[in-house]
Amino acid sequence: MTVLEQTPGRDESGARPTPPTAGWRPRTDPAPLLPDETPFRLLGTGARLDKRRKELWRELYRGLVHGRRYNRQATALTRQGRLAVYPSSTGQEACEVAAALALAEQDWLFPSYRDTLAVVARGVDPVEALTLLRGDWHTGYDPRAVRVAPLSTPLATQLPHAVGLAHAARLRGDDVVALAMVGDGGTSEGDFHEALNFAAVWRAPVVFLVQNNGFAISVPLAKQTAAPSLAHKAVGYGVPGRLVDGNDAPAVHQVLGEAVAHARAGGGPTLVEALTYRVEAHTNADDATRYRTDEDVAPWLGHDPVALLEAELRNRRLLTDREADAIAEEAEAMAADLRGRMNTDPALDPEDLFAHVYAEPTTHLREQAAMLRGELAADAADDPDRADTPARRRATGRDDHADDHRQNHQERAA
Amino acid sequence: MTVLEQTPGRDESGARPTPPTAGWRPRTDPAPLLPDETPFRLLGTGARLDKRRKELWRELYRGLVHGRRYNRQATALTRQGRLAVYPSSTGQEACEVAAALALAEQDWLFPSYRDTLAVVARGVDPVEALTLLRGDWHTGYDPRAVRVAPLSTPLATQLPHAVGLAHAARLRGDDVVALAMVGDGGTSEGDFHEALNFAAVWRAPVVFLVQNNGFAISVPLAKQTAAPSLAHKAVGYGVPGRLVDGNDAPAVHQVLGEAVAHARAGGGPTLVEALTYRVEAHTNADDATRYRTDEDVAPWLGHDPVALLEAELRNRRLLTDREADAIAEEAEAMAADLRGRMNTDPALDPEDLFAHVYAEPTTHLREQAAMLRGELAADAADDPDRADTPARRRATGRDDHADDHRQNHQERAA
Amino acid sequence: MTTATSTPARPAPPGGPAPTTMAQAINRALRDAMAADDTVHVLGEDVGALGGVFRVTDGLTAEFGEERCTDTPLAEAGILGTAAGMAMYGLRPVVEMQFDAFAYPAFEQLVSHVARMRNRTRGSLPMPLTIRVPYGGGIGGVEHHSDSSEVYYMATPGLHVVTPATVADAYGMLRSAIASDDPVLFLEPKRLYWSKETIDLSSPPACEPLGRAVVRRAGTSATLISYGPSVSVCLEAAEAAREEGWELEVLDLRTLVPFDDETAAAAVRRTGRAVVVHEASGFAGPGAEIAARLTERCFHHLQAPVLRVTGFDIPYPPPMLEKHHLPGVDRVLDAVARLQWESDHTEGGAA
Amino acid sequence: MTTATSTPARPAPPGGPAPTTMAQAINRALRDAMAADDTVHVLGEDVGALGGVFRVTDGLTAEFGEERCTDTPLAEAGILGTAAGMAMYGLRPVVEMQFDAFAYPAFEQLVSHVARMRNRTRGSLPMPLTIRVPYGGGIGGVEHHSDSSEVYYMATPGLHVVTPATVADAYGMLRSAIASDDPVLFLEPKRLYWSKETIDLSSPPACEPLGRAVVRRAGTSATLISYGPSVSVCLEAAEAAREEGWELEVLDLRTLVPFDDETAAAAVRRTGRAVVVHEASGFAGPGAEIAARLTERCFHHLQAPVLRVTGFDIPYPPPMLEKHHLPGVDRVLDAVARLQWESDHTEGGAA
Ligand SMILES: Cc1ncc(C[n+]2csc(CCOP(=O)(O)OP(=O)(O)O)c2C)c(N)n1
Ligand SMILES: Cc1ncc(C[n+]2csc(CCOP(=O)(O)OP(=O)(O)O)c2C)c(N)n1
Ligand SMILES: [Mg+2]
Ligand SMILES: [Mg+2]
């Protein structure tokens, strides 16, 4: 039996439709696919922790502190003109960090444009992760090497990629899970729907993490969907839907971890909705006062992922002042390093514009590259007699340079 | 309070997101949105009928018989080359007819490419309804006059149109419901998702009818979705999902009627899944033996919508032999009329190609129309001296006809 | 993501000439159209409270209510598809696509329905839709925020495609687009949003109708043909060209579909030399059609082939490199220099 | 809906020359590619048991299993998007879009990802995807079944766009497309599916590489430039033209991107006159680029402007009218006649 034949949608009769008998029943039981009424939480529940989990919670804390600092630093870099734009995930660090930590080495992460932090938490160099946002033309990191897809700007379009990659890995017999991140707004796109459906039909090892942070730029969730929750979308694909407090890092990690394990075991995809909040404006260029008030934000400031975890760790005596200070210092050093390395413009070679459009540049692109090279050389040449007359810079390969050019011209001028 | 502010997704605080308190609850109760475990049925349930319903059932029966005959006749017309293609709805007549009858005069129908029968059942001339399938360039009927959108070939693309139209009518304060039809395959398209979501958020008066006929051309439902049922998709939009035996015409009519009434009363959209079966091949051009056997089809032939209703009516003594014969004769006459009127090619004017591309043909299109007119005139002219040399047919407005043409040419030739 | 401005497009004061940005002029055109005709509805992502990421719809929801200016769910096919349905009911929707590249999800709705609905229904269901698309580069946008997608629309029969190059045109052409009974792609050059003119929007200057090109600068040596964001580049180049002894004519096409053959061909015949300038990639770009059709119509007047100065045939470059991609004054002048001037050829012969 | 054929594209017998249809040649190319490379996966709507609505994938699932040739859910963006993901993992997906117009839902995936992924990742994530699109008219298809959508792809940097005109090319070019490390739009002229050639697919005839145009008929009077479904029209026209005393050269472009400037320009320079012929609409159609670039390169060799014979600028017409829309022999000859022949002009002068 092949992988595809094991998919859950298929009954024994293979491709045959359900007969029209009075005994028609749903093809799978919907009950276990529906999310719980309340979001899953761990912080404040008095959950018992073994040693491994204690370590994990501390590691999560470290990630949150670094993440918070990273967000702050990146936003500062936009003000200094060192980044073209930065969509901060302040307030959402629990989701970002837990997503990265839920994956094994060989797994793939498919981040959305807001998820630089998850990319960094996965181990990508903090400067490289900012390459696109900096105004450079490429992802910076090597996606195949780090198993992190490019940050996806067109919303929800990365979700089918995650499905295809996970499906391909499964077909090849490889143990790879893909985790794809999307926002509440992104769930409205057709690509979200198609990705979920393909994943379910193919039983692909994918985990979909929706960060419901309340807004799509200025548009609040109520204008985005009328669903009981976004996790309720899962049943429509025959996929389990899970709801989690997105500011409770251990809870997010646990739900994602279970979903990853389920996928790894051949159980197929899971849709996870994490309830969180975008504390800052959409990006540095946005003015959030136009669509929400400080009062709207306030309750969420009291439910801060960093503060929540820190309080719990201190309560449980899993974090000393000294340790907290050390982590803060480390984060400070990371920020200083980031600042320093972002302080210079990257050296971009204009000819790279043509280098990777195709495996081999076409003749046509080589001509264009040559033209640009010529222009740059002319600009660089300081000799004013040669450089100031644009007419001196000529592209080649045109008919006016053909052998019979002059002759033709003379006929014409005659 | 405006229409949009009454939408269910919005709590009192307007655009503000739910606070992150432990008291988080689904924004609407999912339970009533979930479909029943078994499809709704009326035939064979001993339901009591008042006079109005008796009349309705007889009317439905008449529609089914006509519909069945229409499908048969149209398929025959493809064999005679009178129709370019015909996607038959044989076996699905209950859905087609009930959909049309569930609507009031002022309502709109948005059919899919397979739903010619629903269009005819709504009252459109049987020949006009076939115009596009015949190979003509337009819908035949006037969509605005009959409130039937063009049969939609690109799958699921008509669903957002239905939402937009219903929403527009509601904004204008008009009492209009839109009923949009789509196949099981069509539910996989992004447009299905986006239409359902917009409808729910806007609380638009739309009813979505999915005819789950088991196949999308050759692809069986199991490869289309892993959902418990297609009706389970509804909860993910905050919309009620209903499941009905699609071969039970009174049941389909009742479920659709309730959904239409709900929409009319401002309750918003409903998603109805009708379980039915495509008894014939996808179209006359398809070869269904490649993907299913006669055995697969057999159980459905025993659950035929026409036979089911006829048996019930006869059981209940609501149909006499004489009445049944009269209806069959009527249907025969309709088919004869159809045959007769389809027996000639419609008179198409090639210049119509340019007539409705824009409100006013552009200069550019007028030139092209003139060129075609010239060609046709040349072809028509019997004078062989004039017509046989293509070079005699000249388009106008080119530079070779400019005033200085000859002069230029002579310069050049010099 | 979105490189937005935080400067609101505050409408110009109601009376008298005042410095006005293109964003403000578009905003005013929307307001005036909505006030004049209650079937005009604006919809899109963030067009409500936020006023759009470029603030072009600023204040419309406040003035006309959420039903007239509506924040939609985030789904472009859904936006255009529902707008098509609204148009089927007789409304005049004005749709905002947040950025050029984010109009692509709506491509099927556009090509298969919006462009063809009138035709398929013999005029029973016209599509009086306006689709506003901020397009083009030069604003330092990250990837997917600077595409010049006009040729996709030009190649689709049934659509009108227009783009303003001046503030006054932005107002007048948008009013005309909204009034049109056909679907109009109204392409807004992003980097001109903040360009200013002193105009009186309470009595807007007369504007040529859609479908007419306009000569922005008269000249005799050669004709620069352009539209939208590249018109100002051409005007600058024409200024600079005087040093070289050239008097360049500058034609602003304004409407790409339907194309104003008469004005464009006349301009080319006048000078006998022409260069088409645009930001979009050259290969199969807008300039291909412009060059091809003008050559068909003016062949014997041409002293040299119609040349094209365009973006390269590459994915739109990032902020740090876009200056190399965008047609600039130098590149335009280089092309003019290649138009086979006699003096040039003498030189050439001597070289 | 789908105007399908019920004649299966039964593969030609394994050895020796045999009459083979284009559909069979494509089928064989897919089989051979799948047999040669287990990373080649076919996916699309109805490509499995049915073998595709044109039977082009006939037998592949039976031979290679459902995992290698997969019936997908009905969602084109999903098909192309998941295929892109498979390519990211190193597979070589071959995607079937059932008909031209049904590729539009995948437009965003194509333009924003498939065409740009290699560039954005500096080659780390190439997209060795082949996207098969049956295109063009002439088969009596109802609306949305006969679009010539090639210009949308030509205008998108990062894609290769190819289309065969002969059975042998269909085989060879598809093998090359699948072997390419870049995304290739492989456009299959629907009405040539049943065209036949006698070839030996067990040792397929050598085929020019992608990127090369081929002269299908030598001539001296003028050059007809075409591709895909219109090449045979041009050959027929060339035959008929002899009566008029013209010896027409016929160039089959084969690859639209990258364009074979060298061969095409040489052909045009040889005759000094050229007509571009295609089914797609003319305005901003493929012929615009072809005419514009050949004029740029051959201006002084041209005795007349490069003319275009194309579909009208209208939505693709219905079966009953398509004959008026499609470029036919007469219309091609009319255009040739307008290429300003001397004899002609003498006549013209006398008229
Ligand atoms: C297809 C597409 N449409 C529009 C945009 C413009 N845009 C960028 S971010 C954004 C809002 C995203 O909201 P959400 O999905 O909730 O993610 P969040 O920003 O909250 O992380 C929009 C509309 C886009 N990037 N892609
Ligand atoms: C967007 C789009 N993709 C593909 C097709 C080709 N096609 C026509 S009918 C069909 C199957 C439709 O299946 P379903 O939605 O279940 O409707 P049914 O034919 O069963 O009525 C397909 C794939 C199409 N018409 N539109
Ligand atoms: Mg959000
Ligand atoms: Mg079906």
Side-chain angles (χ1 to χ4, degrees):
Chain A
M1 200 157 77
T2 68
V3 163
L4 278 182
E5 280 158 2
Q6 290 159 5
T7 59
R10 279 165 216 206
D11 48 27
E12 276 117 284
S13 57
R16 286 166 205 173
T18 320
T21 61
W24 189 96
R25 283 286 172 282
R27 296 185 308 133
T28 48
D29 182 4
L33 308 179
L34 291 166
D36 292 337
E37 283 264 309
T38 52
F40 180 71
R41 292 202 172 83
L42 277 174
L43 297 180
T45 64
R48 289 195 49 152
L49 304 189
D50 59 14
K51 189 147 173 271
R52 209 184 41 77
R53 274 170 116 200
K54 283 181 191 157
E55 248 341 288
L56 172 70
W57 287 32
R58 288 155 56 100
E59 199 187 334
L60 285 168
Y61 174 73
R62 189 176 162 273
L64 298 193
V65 173
H66 276 243
R68 175 65 50 88
R69 188 65 191 86
Y70 188 85
N71 274 333
R72 195 146 50 87
Q73 185 57 58
T75 300
L77 286 167
T78 61
R79 279 191 297 268
Q80 292 147 27
R82 289 290 165 204
L83 274 178
V85 63
Y86 187 69
S88 173
S89 56
T90 298
Q92 304 177 218
E93 292 91 346
C95 295
E96 299 286 324
V97 173
L101 297 192
L103 294 178
E105 180 80 17
Q106 74 276 17
D107 296 334
W108 273 73
L109 180 74
F110 286 80
S112 176
Y113 77 105
R114 191 178 295 288
D115 304 317
T116 314
L117 211 57
V119 176
V120 173
R122 179 133 169 88
V124 171
D125 179 293
V127 172
E128 285 188 1
L130 290 172
T131 306
L132 276 174
L133 296 173
R134 193 175 194 181
D136 204 338
W137 58 277
H138 58 79
T139 42
Y141 53 90
D142 175 346
R144 204 182 275 275
V146 296
R147 291 164 311 286
V148 177
L151 293 161
S152 179
T153 294
L155 297 165
T157 56
Q158 74 280 18
L159 305 182
H161 303 168
V163 176
L165 182 134
H167 177 62
R170 184 159 172 254
L171 292 182
R172 307 297 284 182
D174 298 345
D175 169 25
V176 172
V177 173
L179 190 153
M181 303 173 76
V182 67
D184 47 316
T187 66
S188 295
E189 289 282 2
D191 275 7
F192 171 85
H193 176 70
E194 301 188 11
L196 266 284
N197 189 44
F198 274 66
V201 170
W202 287 348
R203 208 176 185 127
V206 202
V207 177
F208 298 96
L209 169 60
V210 180
Q211 288 187 65
N212 174 358
N213 65 1
F215 288 91
I217 308 187
S218 69
V219 179
L221 188 70
K223 293 187 185 178
Q224 201 64 247
T225 177
S229 78
L230 296 170
H232 277 88
K233 293 184 180 291
V235 66
Y237 306 102
V239 161
R242 296 285 168 259
L243 197 57
V244 63
D245 181 337
N247 287 8
D248 178 337
V252 178
H253 186 273
Q254 176 148 330
V255 169
L256 291 178
E258 285 167 9
V260 167
H262 183 69
R264 203 181 301 288
T270 303
L271 173 65
V272 177
E273 174 183 5
L275 296 165
T276 181
Y277 197 79
R278 198 195 73 211
V279 166
E280 294 189 7
H282 163 61
T283 68
N284 52 294
D286 178 40
D287 172 10
T289 63
R290 294 190 142 239
Y291 52 83
R292 71 181 189 193
T293 64
D294 287 351
E295 280 159 58
D296 295 328
V297 183
W300 286 90
L301 296 179
H303 193 69
D304 181 80
V306 190
L308 284 178
L309 183 55
E310 176 161 344
E312 174 105 6
L313 287 177
R314 286 184 186 269
N315 267 349
R316 289 177 182 262
R317 308 201 180 284
L318 294 174
L319 183 75
T320 64
D321 282 352
R322 243 207 3 209
E323 285 168 328
D325 288 349
I327 291 173
E329 262 167 50
E330 241 179 55
E332 217 38 70
M334 176 274 298
D337 176 61
L338 182 59
R339 240 182 354 255
R341 288 162 65 206
M342 294 287 289
N343 207 10
T344 47
D345 278 339
L348 269 67
D349 181 353
E351 283 204 48
D352 281 345
L353 289 174
F354 306 95
H356 295 288
V357 181
Y358 296 101
E360 290 288 330
T362 60
T363 316
H364 187 56
L365 284 182
R366 273 198 298 266
E367 280 172 23
Q368 298 186 357
M371 176 179 114
L372 178 57
R373 205 179 310 122
E375 289 177 356
L376 294 172
D379 288 346
D382 268 339
D383 181 354
D385 291 329
R386 298 204 60 80
D388 64 354
T389 309
R392 298 210 179 254
R393 304 201 217 125
R394 292 290 156 74
T396 54
R398 303 279 174 169
D399 193 46
D400 47 354
H401 290 271
D403 278 357
D404 54 352
H405 169 169
R406 217 167 318 127
Q407 190 195 333
N408 259 302
H409 183 77
Q410 279 155 8
E411 277 172 27
R412 182 165 266 271
Chain B
M1 201 155 79
T2 69
V3 163
L4 279 182
E5 280 157 5
Q6 291 158 7
T7 58
R10 280 166 215 205
D11 49 26
E12 275 118 282
S13 58
R16 287 165 205 174
T18 320
T21 61
W24 190 95
R25 284 284 172 281
R27 296 187 308 132
T28 48
D29 181 6
L33 307 180
L34 291 166
D36 292 339
E37 283 264 307
T38 51
F40 180 73
R41 292 201 172 84
L42 278 174
L43 297 179
T45 63
R48 291 195 49 151
L49 305 188
D50 58 15
K51 189 147 175 271
R52 210 184 39 80
R53 273 170 117 201
K54 285 181 187 157
E55 248 341 286
L56 172 70
W57 288 32
R58 288 154 56 99
E59 198 187 336
L60 284 167
Y61 174 72
R62 189 176 163 273
L64 297 192
V65 173
H66 276 241
R68 175 65 51 90
R69 188 64 192 87
Y70 187 85
N71 275 332
R72 194 147 52 84
Q73 185 57 59
T75 300
L77 287 167
T78 61
R79 280 192 297 269
Q80 294 148 26
R82 289 290 165 205
L83 273 179
V85 64
Y86 186 69
S88 173
S89 57
T90 299
Q92 305 176 219
E93 292 91 344
C95 295
E96 299 285 325
V97 173
L101 297 193
L103 294 178
E105 179 81 16
Q106 74 277 15
D107 295 335
W108 272 73
L109 180 73
F110 286 79
S112 178
Y113 77 104
R114 192 180 294 288
D115 304 316
T116 315
L117 212 58
V119 175
V120 173
R122 177 131 171 92
V124 170
D125 179 294
V127 173
E128 285 188 2
L130 290 172
T131 306
L132 275 174
L133 296 172
R134 193 175 194 180
D136 203 341
W137 58 277
H138 58 78
T139 42
Y141 53 88
D142 175 346
R144 202 183 277 274
V146 296
R147 289 162 313 283
V148 177
L151 293 161
S152 180
T153 293
L155 297 164
T157 55
Q158 75 280 16
L159 304 182
H161 302 167
V163 176
L165 182 135
H167 178 61
R170 185 159 172 256
L171 292 182
R172 305 298 285 183
D174 297 345
D175 170 25
V176 172
V177 173
L179 190 152
M181 303 173 77
V182 68
D184 47 316
T187 66
S188 294
E189 290 282 3
D191 274 9
F192 171 85
H193 176 69
E194 301 188 11
L196 266 285
N197 190 43
F198 274 67
V201 170
W202 286 348
R203 210 178 183 128
V206 202
V207 177
F208 299 96
L209 170 60
V210 181
Q211 286 187 65
N212 175 358
N213 65 0
F215 288 91
I217 308 187
S218 70
V219 179
L221 189 70
K223 293 188 187 177
Q224 200 64 248
T225 177
S229 78
L230 296 170
H232 277 89
K233 293 185 180 290
V235 65
Y237 306 101
V239 161
R242 296 284 168 258
L243 197 57
V244 63
D245 181 338
N247 288 8
D248 179 336
V252 179
H253 186 274
Q254 176 149 331
V255 169
L256 291 178
E258 285 167 8
V260 167
H262 183 69
R264 203 181 300 289
T270 302
L271 173 65
V272 177
E273 174 183 5
L275 296 164
T276 181
Y277 196 78
R278 198 195 72 210
V279 167
E280 295 189 7
H282 162 62
T283 68
N284 51 294
D286 179 39
D287 173 10
T289 64
R290 296 190 141 238
Y291 52 84
R292 72 182 188 193
T293 65
D294 287 352
E295 280 159 58
D296 294 328
V297 183
W300 286 92
L301 296 178
H303 193 68
D304 181 80
V306 190
L308 284 178
L309 184 54
E310 176 161 345
E312 175 105 7
L313 288 176
R314 284 183 187 272
N315 268 349
R316 290 178 182 258
R317 308 200 180 286
L318 293 175
L319 183 74
T320 65
D321 283 351
R322 245 214 356 218
E323 285 167 330
D325 288 349
I327 291 174
E329 262 167 50
E330 240 179 55
E332 220 35 74
M334 175 275 296
D337 176 60
L338 183 58
R339 242 182 352 256
R341 288 163 65 206
M342 293 288 289
N343 208 9
T344 47
D345 278 339
L348 268 67
D349 181 351
E351 284 205 50
D352 280 345
L353 288 174
F354 305 96
H356 295 288
V357 181
Y358 296 101
E360 290 288 330
T362 59
T363 316
H364 187 56
L365 284 182
R366 273 197 299 264
E367 280 172 22
Q368 299 187 356
M371 177 181 113
L372 178 58
R373 205 179 309 125
E375 290 177 357
L376 295 172
D379 288 346
D382 268 341
D383 180 355
D385 292 330
R386 297 204 61 81
D388 64 352
T389 310
R392 299 210 179 255
R393 304 201 217 126
R394 295 291 159 73
T396 53
R398 303 279 175 171
D399 193 43
D400 49 355
H401 290 271
D403 277 358
D404 52 354
H405 169 169
R406 217 167 319 129
Q407 191 196 335
N408 260 302
H409 183 77
Q410 279 154 7
E411 276 171 28
R412 179 166 269 270
Chain C
M1 85 233 52
T2 295
T3 308
T5 166
S6 49
T7 324
R10 262 183 257 117
T20 308
T21 66
M22 186 180 282
Q24 286 166 339
I26 297 172
N27 177 268
R28 179 61 181 258
L30 291 169
R31 271 175 66 201
D32 290 354
M34 290 174 84
D37 178 353
D38 74 355
T39 68
V40 176
H41 284 245
V42 170
L43 61 167
E45 294 157 7
D46 303 290
V47 297
L50 186 66
V53 295
F54 292 105
R55 304 297 181 265
V56 164
T57 56
D58 190 36
L60 299 181
T61 297
E63 187 167 343
F64 298 98
E66 256 189 74
E67 293 173 2
R68 296 286 304 285
C69 179
T70 311
D71 277 333
T72 64
L74 208 169
E76 293 78 8
I79 296 171
L80 189 57
T82 52
M86 291 167 75
M88 289 167 81
Y89 200 72
L91 301 189
R92 259 175 210 282
V94 181
V95 157
E96 173 172 309
M97 294 284 154
Q98 201 160 79
F99 282 85
D100 27 62
F102 306 143
Y104 301 151
F107 200 65
E108 181 187 33
Q109 283 291 344
L110 186 71
V111 174
S112 293
H113 287 300
V114 171
R116 303 183 189 189
M117 192 67 83
R118 168 188 289 281
N119 189 58
R120 177 189 295 136
T121 62
R122 285 183 293 184
S124 165
L125 296 178
M127 287 280 120
L129 267 167
T130 302
I131 305 169
R132 296 181 35 242
V133 184
Y135 83 116
I139 60 155
V142 295
E143 54 165 9
H144 308 288
H145 285 76
S146 299
D147 283 15
S148 288
S149 40
E150 58 270 29
V151 81
Y152 298 134
Y153 310 125
M154 291 171 68
T156 306
L159 303 176
H160 292 285
V161 185
V162 310
T163 179
T166 71
V167 175
D169 262 7
Y171 180 92
M173 290 170 68
L174 182 53
R175 291 298 305 269
S176 304
I178 296 173
S180 166
D181 286 335
D182 287 320
V184 180
L185 263 293
F186 189 81
L187 305 174
E188 302 174 1
K190 282 196 268 310
R191 65 176 153 115
L192 296 186
Y193 273 142
W194 304 280
S195 67
K196 275 201 179 124
E197 281 169 38
T198 296
I199 52 175
D200 182 357
L201 283 179
S202 63
S203 57
C207 141
E208 287 291 312
L210 298 187
R212 303 301 301 182
V214 162
V215 174
R216 296 279 175 216
R217 186 188 202 278
T220 50
S221 318
T223 306
L224 302 180
I225 304 174
S226 189
Y227 57 85
S230 298
V231 172
S232 55
V233 175
C234 291
L235 288 170
E236 231 185 289
E239 211 49 55
R242 292 191 135 159
E243 281 179 39
E244 308 261 338
W246 293 315
E247 281 300 334
L248 302 183
E249 175 148 322
V250 176
L251 186 70
D252 174 3
L253 291 171
R254 302 172 74 250
T255 303
L256 297 170
V257 181
F259 193 84
D260 184 354
D261 284 313
E262 199 184 317
T263 308
V268 171
R269 288 182 184 161
R270 250 192 316 273
T271 63
R273 290 178 168 87
V275 177
V276 185
V277 183
H278 60 63
E279 285 187 17
S281 289
F283 191 85
E289 178 60 39
I290 299 167
R293 69 191 299 110
L294 291 174
T295 305
E296 282 163 12
R297 280 161 179 74
C298 313
F299 186 67
H300 294 293
H301 297 78
L302 286 173
Q303 306 299 318
V306 176
L307 296 182
R308 293 178 280 170
V309 177
T310 69
F312 296 126
D313 295 312
I314 60 175
Y316 193 87
M320 287 180 176
L321 292 177
E322 66 179 336
K323 65 174 177 293
H324 300 296
H325 178 75
L326 293 171
V329 168
D330 277 358
R331 213 170 274 161
V332 172
L333 293 180
D334 283 358
V336 172
R338 279 189 282 110
L339 289 173
Q340 305 174 14
W341 305 93
E342 285 187 48
S343 61
D344 183 43
H345 284 291
T346 314
E347 280 172 29
Chain D
M1 87 232 53
T2 294
T3 307
T5 166
S6 48
T7 324
R10 264 184 256 117
T20 309
T21 65
M22 185 179 283
Q24 286 165 341
I26 296 172
N27 177 268
R28 179 61 181 257
L30 291 169
R31 272 175 65 202
D32 291 354
M34 290 174 85
D37 178 353
D38 75 355
T39 67
V40 176
H41 284 244
V42 170
L43 60 166
E45 295 157 7
D46 303 289
V47 297
L50 186 66
V53 296
F54 292 106
R55 303 297 180 266
V56 164
T57 57
D58 191 35
L60 300 181
T61 296
E63 188 167 344
F64 299 98
E66 253 189 77
E67 292 174 1
R68 296 285 304 285
C69 179
T70 311
D71 278 335
T72 63
L74 207 169
E76 294 78 9
I79 296 171
L80 189 57
T82 53
M86 292 166 76
M88 289 166 82
Y89 200 72
L91 302 188
R92 259 176 210 281
V94 181
V95 157
E96 172 172 309
M97 293 283 153
Q98 200 160 78
F99 282 85
D100 27 61
F102 307 144
Y104 301 151
F107 199 66
E108 181 187 32
Q109 283 291 343
L110 185 72
V111 174
S112 293
H113 287 300
V114 171
R116 303 184 189 188
M117 191 68 82
R118 169 187 289 280
N119 189 60
R120 177 189 295 136
T121 63
R122 285 182 294 184
S124 166
L125 296 178
M127 288 280 118
L129 268 168
T130 303
I131 305 169
R132 297 181 36 244
V133 185
Y135 82 116
I139 61 155
V142 295
E143 54 165 8
H144 308 289
H145 286 75
S146 300
D147 283 15
S148 289
S149 40
E150 59 269 31
V151 80
Y152 298 135
Y153 309 125
M154 292 170 69
T156 305
L159 304 176
H160 292 286
V161 185
V162 310
T163 179
T166 71
V167 175
D169 261 6
Y171 179 91
M173 289 170 69
L174 182 53
R175 291 299 304 269
S176 305
I178 295 173
S180 167
D181 287 334
D182 287 319
V184 180
L185 263 293
F186 188 81
L187 304 174
E188 303 174 1
K190 281 195 271 309
R191 63 176 155 115
L192 297 186
Y193 273 141
W194 304 280
S195 66
K196 275 200 180 124
E197 280 169 40
T198 297
I199 51 175
D200 182 357
L201 282 180
S202 64
S203 57
C207 143
E208 287 290 314
L210 299 186
R212 303 301 302 183
V214 162
V215 174
R216 296 277 174 217
R217 184 189 204 276
T220 50
S221 318
T223 306
L224 302 180
I225 303 173
S226 190
Y227 58 86
S230 299
V231 172
S232 55
V233 175
C234 291
L235 288 170
E236 230 185 288
E239 213 47 59
R242 292 190 135 161
E243 281 179 39
E244 309 259 340
W246 293 315
E247 281 302 334
L248 301 183
E249 175 148 321
V250 176
L251 185 71
D252 175 3
L253 291 172
R254 300 172 73 253
T255 303
L256 296 171
V257 180
F259 194 84
D260 184 354
D261 284 312
E262 199 185 318
T263 307
V268 170
R269 287 182 183 160
R270 253 193 312 276
T271 63
R273 290 180 168 86
V275 177
V276 185
V277 183
H278 61 64
E279 286 188 16
S281 290
F283 191 85
E289 178 60 39
I290 299 168
R293 69 190 299 108
L294 290 174
T295 305
E296 282 163 12
R297 281 161 179 74
C298 314
F299 186 68
H300 294 291
H301 298 77
L302 286 174
Q303 306 299 317
V306 177
L307 296 182
R308 293 178 280 171
V309 177
T310 69
F312 297 126
D313 295 310
I314 60 175
Y316 193 87
M320 288 180 176
L321 292 177
E322 67 180 335
K323 64 174 179 292
H324 300 296
H325 178 76
L326 293 171
V329 168
D330 277 358
R331 214 170 274 162
V332 172
L333 293 179
D334 283 359
V336 172
R338 279 190 281 111
L339 288 173
Q340 306 174 13
W341 306 92
E342 285 187 49
S343 61
D344 182 45
H345 283 291
T346 314
E347 281 172 28

